[in-house]
Amino acid sequence: MVEWTDAERNAIATLWSNIDVGEIGPQALARLLVVFPWTKRYFSTFGDLSTSAAIAANPKVAQHGKTVMGGLEIAVKNMDNIKAAYAKLSVMHSEKLHVDPDNFRVLAECISVGVAAKFGPSVFTPGFQEAWQKFLAVVVSALGKQYH
């Protein structure tokens, strides 16, 4: 089990309460598909992913980005047992979708870039970033649990 300080809990709650999943989610997934193009193989049913512009305009990318961020809300609400809260998602991604677990890490990077760009250094301070990165690392670990 992960130990969270009050400051970390506060930072995560503050960031989460100000995140627009309809903005950050689509941006993060689009960034993933552009910056890490091998991840496109998991989205073959999404249509045109041939260019950055096509990815940014793709409604399936936008919708799945919102879904991913909605999934983070599960972690925010279950910070004391994220692994259990993500057990079914871990099984689905490993056994049904066969997603390489390292892709969870690079998606978390893309989410962090979006959050940092949205809030800037006055909100996304080093202390907030530390808490956010720790939170996402726990989520990534929980999603990869089925692979171990």
Side-chain angles (χ1 to χ4, degrees), residues 3 19 54 63 65 87 105 109-110 126-127 139 146-148:
E3 298 292 327
I19 287 175
Q63 184 55 51
R105 181 189 57 80
E109 287 179 19
C110 293
V139 169
Q146 186 63 26
Y147 296 86
H148 304 298

Side-chain angles (χ1 to χ4, degrees), residues 15-32 61-70 72 107-120 124 132 136:
L15 285 172
W16 186 255
S17 69
N18 290 292
I19 287 175
D20 177 353
V21 299
E23 177 184 3
I24 300 295
Q27 289 174 2
L29 190 59
R31 182 177 296 273
L32 174 80
V61 170
Q63 184 55 51
H64 193 64
K66 291 176 193 175
T67 299
V68 167
M69 291 302 287
L72 276 184
L107 177 56
E109 287 179 19
C110 293
I111 292 169
S112 288
V113 168
V115 170
K118 173 67 177 177
F119 295 116
F124 200 67
W132 185 250
L136 289 179

